[in-house]
Every structure is written in structure tokens, then in C-alpha cells.
DNA sequence: ACTGGATCCTGACTGC
DNA sequence: TGCAGTCAGGATCCAG
């Protein structure tokens, strides 16, 4: 499931293969994703050159030489691969961005939770992008920021840090892992956690995400691999999906609870 | 204004 | 073996 490190890895992986290249056409086999893909996408993008591939939260942005920017989201099962024109599309290969030199950027998404949109307005003003919280790995994301934002919030701290309006890129797995590292129970009310503890939580989120991105660097080659699924990380997880297994710190069994319909894992002794 | 729940989708897995 | 049910998950939308 793509979380921020996976999207960052995808961004770095595809960028050198499509930056500076002219779009010849866009082939859409399945337009019914999270939102329908715009009907005129191919006509709109034909002839435009990809100037820059960037990421904002879990959105990938393909900036062109005109006003238009392609907004891509991988949902939970999506992936992008760079393939050559000989490779026939397989199951769930919903969209091909075909470049003038024959390179294809192929979007595959089993569960169709992803999205492909296009906008000509300044990208930071786009509805999906403008409401996003700060990037977790920048200096704007601090303990002070989270502490202040969380005052009077009754939601759980886990739901709070997973809300992209507060901070982007913290998905279900890394939320559990970060809270474990920071020693905070996921069920705690966000508004009642001290500044000191938020500082520790922010440090933990940065460490966990940076580790995952560092590991992702080794899988970049997979994005130009015909049979390859983009390699997701073999991240070593401390609590996630370890129900009833021993806590790595205190050996007591890991607990599981549902928060906002998401499985959450924690140690009842190491987190409070 | 806030918060929690339903929702989209497919495939893997479980239980009868 | 097969079928029905459950779960996973990001982010939006909706209802209370």
C-alpha cells in the first residue's frame, strides 16, 4: 500500500525517464477510478512536454511546459512503471502515458482507489492540494505546530496524525510505528497530549519516514522492470501487523484495536 | 465546527 | 471444492 515513502520512491524512480519528454497520447482503458478520468485528457496533454515530476503529500504532480499539471494518486493499490511500447498491457493496467520517443508510463491499480486528474490552475490552488498540511520532513512540521493545532481536538492522536489536513503522508502503518517509537497510546485524545510528547512524536515520524525512504532508494531500478512490481519496502515493523507477538522492547504481547475503522497496533506497557 | 461512519474496489483469506 | 462473508486501505462526503 503506497504511503509517502513509496510515493516518494515512485517520484524519484519515474522522473528521469519522463522529464523533458513530449506526450504523444494518453490511452485510457478504464476511466472509472476514485474520480472519472477526464474524457479529454489525451487531447489536452498531446504535444505537451513534462517539465518536472514532483510530489505533494501522496499526490504525484507532472508539471508540463504549459499551464497544465497532471495530478496522480496511487490510492492504496496503484503503481506506475516505465515500460517500452512492446509490452502489452495486463490486468488492471488502466492508463498509458505514451511519449513521443516510445516510452510509456503505465498506471496500474487493482482496486481503483487511485486518481488521475489534470488542472490548468496554479497547482497550489487546486482544491485537493491547497488543503493539505505540511510535509512531515520539512522544518514546518514541528512539535509546536502539532501541539497548537491539536488543542481542543477530541479525536484520537492516531486519527489526528493520519489526517492529511494536519500533516501529509502518515498512513496507517507509519502512524502505528511512530506512536510506538514515541511511547504514546494511539487512543489518546489529541487535544490532551503535552508539547513535550508532541515533540517526541514529530521526531519519531521524521525518523520512521526517512528510514523508509532511504530503503526505497535501493528499489529504484524496479520502476523500469517489465515483470517487476515496484518494490515496496521490506521495512522492519515494530508493532504493525504483529498482534499477539512479543513487543520488541518489553516482550509483552502486542495489542490491536480499531481506530476510525483502521487496525491499530500498540504495546500497552511501552505506550501510555 | 467537529467527529465518526459509510463509501469506492478487488483479491486474499477464513469458516461453514 | 465452493461459496459467502470479512478485511484491507486513502481520502472524500455525509449525517448527527
Amino acid at each position: 500500500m503506497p504511503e509517502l515513502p513509496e510515493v516518494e520512491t515512485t517520484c524519484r524512480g519515474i522522473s528521469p525517464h519522463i522529464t523533458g519528454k513530449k506526450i504523444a497520447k494518453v490511452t485510457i482503458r478504464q476511466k472509472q477510478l476514485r474520480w472519472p478520468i477526464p474524457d479529454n485528457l489525451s487531447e489536452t496533454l498531446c504535444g505537451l512536454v513534462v517539465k518536472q515530476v514532483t510530489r505533494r503529500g501522496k499526490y504525484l504532480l507532472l508539471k508540463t511546459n504549459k499551464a497544465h499539471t497532471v495530478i496522480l494518486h496511487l490510492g492504496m493499490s496503484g503503481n506506475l512503471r516505465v515500460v517500452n511500447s512492446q509490452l502489452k498491457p495486463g490486468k488492471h493496467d488502466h492508463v498509458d502515458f505514451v511519449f513521443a520517443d516510445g516510452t510509456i508510463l503505465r498506471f496500474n491499480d487493482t482496486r481503483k482507489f487511485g486518481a488521475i486528474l489534470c488542472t490548468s490552475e496554479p497547482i497550489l490552488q487546486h482544491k485537493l492540494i491547497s488543503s493539505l498540511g505540511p510535509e512531515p520532513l520539512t522544518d514546518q512540521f514541528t512539535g509546536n505546530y502539532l501541539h497548537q493545532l491539536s488543542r481542543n481536538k477530541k479525536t484520537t492522536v492516531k486519527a489526528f496524525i493520519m489526517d492529511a489536513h494536519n500533516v501529509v503522508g502518515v498512513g496507517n502503518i507509519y502512524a502505528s510505528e511512530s506512536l510506538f517509537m514515541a511511547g504514546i497510546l494511539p487512543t489518546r485524545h489529541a487535544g490532551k497530549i503535552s508539547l513535550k510528547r508532541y515533540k517526541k512524536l514529530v521526531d519519531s515520524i521524521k525518523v520512521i519516514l526517512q528510514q523508509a525512504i532511504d530503503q526505497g532508494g535501493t528499489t529504484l531500478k524496479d520502476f523500469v522492470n517489465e515483470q517487476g512490481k515496484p518494490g515496496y519496502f521490506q521495512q522492519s515493523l515494530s508493532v504493525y501487523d504483529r498482534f499477539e507477538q512479543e513487543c520488541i522492547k518489553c516482550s509483552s504481547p502486542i495489542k490491536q484495536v480499531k481506530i476510525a475503522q483502521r487496525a491499530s497496533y500498540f504495546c500497552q506497557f511501552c505506550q501510555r
Side-chain angles (χ1 to χ4, degrees):
Chain A
M1 60 236 55
E3 298 215 28
L4 182 138
E6 286 85 346
V7 180
E8 176 65 24
T9 301
T10 299
C11 183
R12 295 181 193 179
I14 64 174
S15 179
H17 299 283
I18 64 170
T19 302
K21 290 185 181 174
K22 184 185 283 187
I23 300 170
K25 64 173 176 177
V26 182
T27 306
I28 301 171
R29 300 181 200 86
Q30 167 63 267
K31 61 176 267 188
Q32 235 33 67
L33 302 179
R34 178 78 169 82
W35 299 285
I37 297 174
D39 282 325
N40 58 358
L41 186 66
S42 191
E43 291 85 339
T44 304
L45 294 177
C46 180
L48 302 191
V49 175
V50 173
K51 295 299 279 187
Q52 199 182 24
V53 183
T54 58
R55 176 189 64 74
R56 177 71 176 96
K58 291 176 185 169
Y59 293 95
L60 281 165
L61 306 173
L62 311 187
K63 240 172 126 25
T64 71
N65 59 329
K66 302 288 186 197
H68 296 88
T69 301
V70 179
I71 303 174
L72 278 154
H73 198 293
L74 301 178
M76 89 139 262
S77 57
N79 66 72
L80 284 164
R81 281 186 298 147
V82 178
V83 301
N84 67 50
S85 51
Q86 273 76 46
L87 187 68
K88 292 214 171 73
K91 205 175 183 188
H92 307 305
D93 282 338
H94 302 316
V95 177
D96 282 355
F97 293 86
V98 183
F99 293 87
D101 72 346
T103 299
I104 294 176
L105 180 67
R106 181 162 285 171
F107 177 79
N108 177 291
D109 185 5
T110 307
R111 294 181 199 174
K112 301 181 190 164
F113 273 28
I116 298 177
L117 299 170
C118 185
T119 182
S120 58
E121 71 182 311
I123 191 61
L124 295 181
Q125 289 172 28
H126 189 275
K127 191 183 160 197
L128 290 173
I129 306 297
S130 64
S131 60
L132 294 176
E135 289 288 329
L137 295 176
T138 64
D139 292 341
Q140 278 107 61
F141 183 56
T142 64
N144 282 318
Y145 164 80
L146 265 197
H147 181 255
Q148 198 155 31
L149 191 63
S150 64
R151 292 310 89 183
N152 300 320
K153 290 271 173 28
K154 293 192 174 103
T155 190
T156 62
V157 62
K158 176 156 181 278
F160 182 70
I161 60 172
M162 284 180 65
D163 187 335
H165 300 104
N166 302 329
V167 56
V168 298
V170 182
N172 198 39
I173 296 172
Y174 297 130
S176 275
E177 293 297 310
S178 303
L179 287 163
F180 175 76
M181 182 181 271
I184 299 171
L185 280 177
T187 47
R188 280 261 177 268
H189 289 315
K192 293 189 173 172
I193 294 175
S194 68
L195 173 60
K196 188 179 171 190
R197 303 191 84 200
Y198 268 121
K199 285 183 172 174
K200 187 155 189 192
L201 179 56
V202 164
D203 287 345
S204 300
I205 290 171
K206 288 175 191 275
V207 168
I208 296 272
L209 290 177
Q210 189 59 57
Q211 275 177 358
I213 291 172
D214 291 344
Q215 290 177 39
T218 62
T219 68
L220 284 180
K221 58 185 183 334
D222 293 336
F223 287 91
V224 209
N225 179 341
E226 304 193 341
Q227 62 264 40
K229 312 196 161 48
Y232 294 131
F233 316 121
Q234 311 294 312
Q235 169 124 15
S236 53
L237 300 173
S238 300
V239 285
Y240 185 81
D241 206 20
R242 295 193 64 240
F243 179 55
E244 289 183 334
Q245 295 179 43
E246 287 186 5
C247 171
I248 59 166
K249 288 186 191 165
C250 76
S251 299
S252 69
I254 295 298
K255 301 280 186 187
Q256 183 181 353
V257 68
K258 277 230 174 200
I259 297 172
Q261 282 137 268
R262 296 284 174 271
S264 310
Y265 302 84
F266 65 97
C267 172
Q268 61 182 322
F269 299 106
C270 296
Q271 292 169 259
R272 33 186 289 138

